[in-house]
Amino acid sequence: MGLSAKDALQLRDTLQIAVVKCSERCLYHAAKWAAELLDALPQPSAADFKATQDLPSSYIHPAFTPNHDPAEAALEAKELSRYLLAKSLFDCKEFDRCAAVFLPESSLAEMLGTKVDDATTTGGREKQRPSVVLPSERALPQISQKSLFLALYAKMISGEKRKEEESEMIMGPQDLGTITNKQLAVVSRFLTKWFDQRKSEGGDVAPSQGFLEYLYGMVLVKEKNDRAGLQYLVESVQLFPWNWGAWMEITNLITRVEQLNEVTPKLPQNIMSFIFHAHASINLYQQGGEIASALNDLLVVFPTSSFLLTDKALLYYHSKDLVAAEQEFSQLLGLHPQRIDALDHYSNILYVLNLRPKLAFLAHLCSSIDTFRPESCVVIGNYYSLLSCHDKAVHYFRRALMLDRSCLSAWTLMGHEYVELKNTHAAIESYRRAVDVNRRDYRAWYGLGQTYEVLEMHAYALWYYKKAAGLRPWDGKMWQAVGSCLQKMGRDKDGIKALKRALLADSYYDSSASSFGSTGTIDRMTQMDPEVLLQIGAMYDRMEEEEEAKAYMELCVAQEDGGVTNDQGPGLGDSIGVRADSPGSDDGEGGGERVAAGEGTGVTVATSKARMWLAKYAMRVEDYETANRLATELCQDGVEVEEAKALIREARSRMEQTSMMES
């Protein structure tokens, strides 16, 4: 996806306009995102600047381009001094004063016909004014859209700030998550009236700039009206597609790939829509060549974009290629050493790969840049968790949540730590809060399932495991958990289906993988998890289907050498215990080891158990030579030695008896 010199200059100018417009409205994160993307554009050569002669004059100095609508431009000029005051107050975090510059509390109440319930300070003491219900509503004030957005946005942020102040201690006895933003109703009513007034006036109004639609969409989403909120957010990006905050709100509302496909045709067809689609797909844990190709095309245009490089690393991370993800994050850190965004994901990867020196360096780096960033606290918490200092880890995760209660990583990882501390009640509450923040977080659903399984509440555990598997249908670990839970519930037939799905799912990450045949047998595979094969064989054994049980036990033993040589072919997939995806890395005693493609697992507890089962089966069918050989191998492996020696003695005795009878 290369751009011509003219297109590149137009894109540069458009991003400059986006940075200025977002900054004017105090949308700092959107402005930062656009500025980082602008900085990632390669600097044009002197020859490229000649292309500006063919561009409209509005592209020459975009940062100083006035409002093209005469009515809006007149309003902005008239209220410039008040706007500058309001913006300065917002920058100083005096949100109530900022809102009162254009929308005083008393006037706002009269406009909306609501109560005046104000408190003033007299002599250092609060004096409560009586609540008055006003009989009628006044017309809305004639102020510019820019100033109106700033005032209403400040009022919403003021409500969020007061909500945080009124909230109880994290995970405290009164921390029920029921505190709400009391300013949402005021902002929502004002915007409803404003949009209704615009509709009634028809074509006699100035064109909308897209920012009030963005604000109304956010308010509706916070009020749990997702459908209407999504409609206004889509309208916002159609009017002004360069506000990344609106795209992120849309991303957070999309929970399924089908929903993404429904929304995509309604979006503007430009590079922002292209970036959004790639980012939303990664957030939905999608993998594949199309997403990787889209990111590579975007990186041609923005070679050093920290945002796109982070998405590329997360794509590897969700695809279980942790080594490649670690390398991408390492390169990103080299390009932007002071950037803390998304380093909590990097710390998860370093934790799973057990790279303690790198994680220690990362924790020290984050602490030196900004100790009181949620991402820094998560990184430090992961470091203490790797040192098995779980109490300290919980302390830092709680600190991250004090700074930002919507920090998803902190809620999920704190749940993992409470599992390690055997505090199942706190773990369940942490996972529930994580799900409240983001219902797409399969790690929290999986953690809930695992915690309920520890409590032996298998029906609950199964429901949560299925939720996790629905979010990650191509992750074998999710289906293995479903199968194990069904096995404990005595539902062996369903458990076998789930575990076979786990084997098939792991093949998704293997370029040489195929699938199961229609009869449920394995056609062609490269590497399988011996723990899953052992579980399938054991369930077939309980169902008294010994031939199927024998086939899977033989496949399990064959994984020691990397597969089998018969016509079934070797197994597929490797099993990676990902702590960042679930509490604890391995469920079984020997089935959670990471296996390189094409290599055998060596002797594990799972393969030894399968070998013991095959030895006992051989004794039952009077194949004493096979039983003797398998039991001898068990003695050499040093597993189940006493039982194996007893089998050897019995097998040799039977062989001697058989030999004597034949003679």
Side-chain angles (χ1 to χ4, degrees), residues 151-279:
L152 293 175
Y153 185 54
K155 186 162 281 294
M156 188 188 76
I157 296 298
S158 171
E160 289 294 319
K161 181 172 176 283
R162 194 164 290 114
K163 173 186 170 184
E164 292 295 323
E165 292 168 352
E166 293 174 359
S167 298
E168 296 291 331
M169 180 182 68
I170 299 290
M171 299 287 286
Q174 302 299 319
D175 184 22
L176 305 177
T178 56
I179 307 297
T180 59
N181 182 346
K182 296 180 177 61
Q183 298 295 342
L184 290 179
V186 176
V187 177
S188 179
R189 288 193 62 184
F190 190 100
L191 286 173
T192 301
K193 188 174 180 180
W194 190 83
F195 281 111
D196 288 344
Q197 181 176 303
R198 285 180 63 84
K199 289 178 183 176
S200 64
E201 292 177 1
D204 297 332
V205 296
S208 181
Q209 299 169 359
F211 289 97
L212 287 168
E213 285 81 359
Y214 163 58
L215 180 60
Y216 195 27
M218 279 198 297
V219 170
L220 290 170
V221 170
K222 289 179 183 292
E223 292 179 335
K224 308 300 182 185
N225 190 351
D226 291 350
R227 183 182 295 273
L230 180 60
Q231 181 181 344
Y232 274 94
L233 289 167
V234 169
E235 189 176 345
S236 171
V237 297
Q238 288 173 343
L239 292 167
F240 184 73
W242 304 97
N243 175 16
W244 182 246
W247 293 103
M248 282 302 299
E249 291 291 334
I250 296 173
T251 302
N252 294 334
L253 290 174
I254 293 174
T255 57
R256 302 185 315 277
V257 178
E258 296 79 13
Q259 195 175 0
L260 176 61
N261 294 334
E262 289 175 9
V263 171
T264 301
K266 304 174 185 177
L267 301 174
Q269 300 304 308
N270 54 28
I271 195 169
M272 289 295 288
S273 181
F274 198 61
I275 295 172
F276 158 78
H277 194 278
H279 181 71

Side-chain angles (χ1 to χ4, degrees), residues 240-398:
F240 184 73
W242 304 97
N243 175 16
W244 182 246
W247 293 103
M248 282 302 299
E249 291 291 334
I250 296 173
T251 302
N252 294 334
L253 290 174
I254 293 174
T255 57
R256 302 185 315 277
V257 178
E258 296 79 13
Q259 195 175 0
L260 176 61
N261 294 334
E262 289 175 9
V263 171
T264 301
K266 304 174 185 177
L267 301 174
Q269 300 304 308
N270 54 28
I271 195 169
M272 289 295 288
S273 181
F274 198 61
I275 295 172
F276 158 78
H277 194 278
H279 181 71
S281 298
I282 292 170
N283 270 17
L284 292 171
Y285 310 113
Q286 299 299 298
Q287 291 96 34
E290 291 183 4
I291 302 173
S293 176
L295 283 176
N296 288 331
D297 288 344
L298 288 168
L299 283 167
V300 171
V301 181
F302 308 101
T304 60
S305 168
S306 55
F307 174 80
L308 295 175
L309 290 172
T310 299
D311 270 1
K312 186 177 180 181
L314 290 175
L315 179 63
Y316 283 123
Y317 177 39
H318 295 326
S319 303
K320 288 187 175 182
D321 193 347
L322 301 183
V323 175
E326 192 278 327
Q327 291 173 352
E328 289 294 332
F329 269 117
S330 181
Q331 293 175 8
L332 176 62
L333 194 61
L335 285 171
H336 307 278
Q338 282 78 37
R339 185 177 184 267
I340 297 180
D341 299 354
L343 289 187
D344 51 337
H345 296 296
Y346 187 27
S347 70
N348 288 342
I349 294 168
L350 296 176
Y351 182 102
V352 176
L353 296 177
N354 200 27
L355 298 175
R356 194 170 77 177
K358 283 192 174 183
L359 185 52
F361 168 77
L362 188 65
H364 179 75
L365 178 66
C366 291
S367 179
S368 63
I369 295 173
D370 190 348
T371 306
F372 296 101
R373 274 279 294 271
E375 294 90 341
S376 299
C377 295
V378 170
V379 171
I380 297 170
N382 263 337
Y383 174 67
Y384 278 118
S385 179
L386 190 59
L387 296 178
S388 297
C389 300
H390 301 297
D391 288 319
K392 285 188 176 180
V394 167
H395 170 75
Y396 276 97
F397 293 142
R398 289 170 73 98

Side-chain angles (χ1 to χ4, degrees), residues 630-642 644-645 648:
L630 292 170
T632 303
E633 290 173 359
L634 280 169
C635 290
Q636 294 171 352
D637 296 339
V639 182
E640 305 284 352
V641 175
E642 295 302 322
K645 286 181 178 179
I648 291 172

Side-chain angles (χ1 to χ4, degrees), residues 30 43 98 129 144 147 162 213 227 268 282 316 323 325 372 412 415 431 433 442 463 466 471 480 487 511 534 553 601:
Q43 288 295 325
C98 171
R129 291 180 180 171
S144 67
S147 299
R162 194 164 290 114
E213 285 81 359
R227 183 182 295 273
I282 292 170
Y316 283 123
V323 175
F372 296 101
T412 306
Y431 291 135
R433 293 295 188 87
Y442 71 94
W463 191 85
K466 284 183 175 179
L471 290 167
Q480 185 178 353
Q487 179 185 14
S511 59
L534 176 66
M553 293 297 183
T601 64

Side-chain angles (χ1 to χ4, degrees), residues 638-658:
V639 182
E640 305 284 352
V641 175
E642 295 302 322
E643 192 174 358
K645 286 181 178 179
L647 272 176
I648 291 172
R649 288 193 295 269
E650 185 179 356
R652 287 178 179 175
S653 173
R654 296 289 180 86
M655 284 191 292
E656 289 175 1
Q657 290 177 9
T658 304

Side-chain angles (χ1 to χ4, degrees), residues 64-119:
F64 303 101
T65 301
N67 196 317
H68 294 291
D69 181 77
E72 281 293 311
L75 286 172
E76 289 180 10
K78 179 182 177 181
E79 63 200 21
L80 179 60
S81 58
R82 287 197 297 159
Y83 163 77
L84 292 174
L85 171 62
K87 187 177 186 309
S88 300
L89 292 171
F90 193 105
D91 292 340
C92 294
K93 302 188 185 302
E94 297 185 45
F95 304 116
D96 287 322
R97 285 187 67 194
C98 171
V101 171
F102 291 103
L103 299 174
E105 195 68 33
S106 56
S107 300
L108 188 62
E110 291 177 9
M111 290 174 218
L112 302 179
T114 57
K115 292 181 180 181
V116 176
D117 191 6
D118 198 8

